[in-house]
Amino acid sequence: MKKAIKAACGDLAGECLIARDLVPGIDRKKMTDIFFDIADLQYVSIDNVSFSFDKTEKSFDSRHEYKKARAKYYKTAYKKLNDDFKKGVDDIIARMNSSLGEQQKAANKARAEK
């Protein structure tokens, strides 16, 4: 999970730097700010990957109930982590797109209509 987060954030950061340096009319200040927000997203997401089930098998009537509760806990925790990360990525992509100049936005719109 940590490797996937690092890879996704690294790809986003690379796209951000390339766009900042090569796309004419882009808001360079916004792109620099977004670059640092990507680093923050990576740090927070990786920090949140490590969690553990806070109950022991003795807290349940049977081993089956313990395994069931533990599986539910991890499923919920990973879903929340994934949802939070996806929301952060979607926000960054929207901000990257909004930093494009009008000429580039018009060119992208024309390509999408084809």
Side-chain angles (χ1 to χ4, degrees):
M1 183 68 107
K2 291 178 182 180
K3 287 180 182 179
I5 290 170
K6 287 179 184 179
C9 289
D11 289 345
L12 277 172
E15 291 293 327
C16 189
L17 290 175
I18 290 169
R20 184 192 70 186
D21 293 341
L22 299 177
V23 175
I26 200 161
D27 187 337
R28 295 175 55 87
K29 171 74 170 107
K30 277 186 183 179
M31 292 303 280
T32 300
D33 292 343
I34 293 168
F35 179 78
F36 289 112
D37 291 341
I38 293 168
D40 289 340
L41 175 65
Q42 177 177 316
Y43 178 81
V44 168
S45 297
I46 288 175
D47 193 44
N48 290 337
V49 167
S50 299
F51 44 81
S52 62
F53 189 52
D54 60 348
K55 295 184 174 38
T56 64
E57 194 172 333
K58 293 178 183 179
S59 304
F60 296 89
D61 293 334
S62 70
R63 182 171 176 82
H64 175 72
E65 287 180 24
Y66 167 73
K67 285 184 171 185
K68 187 176 174 182
R70 184 172 167 225
K72 182 179 177 183
Y73 171 82
Y74 280 109
K75 182 178 180 179
T76 303
Y78 278 113
K79 181 174 180 355
K80 181 177 177 352
L81 175 67
N82 190 37
D83 290 347
D84 290 347
F85 183 71
K86 183 179 181 326
K87 183 179 181 288
V89 169
D90 290 345
D91 178 54
I92 286 169
I93 291 171
R95 289 176 49 213
M96 287 172 75
N97 289 334
S98 72
S99 68
L100 292 172
E102 292 304 318
Q103 179 184 6
Q104 191 65 34
K105 286 180 185 178
N108 287 349
K109 185 177 180 182
R111 269 185 253 143
E113 291 174 355
K114 286 184 180 181

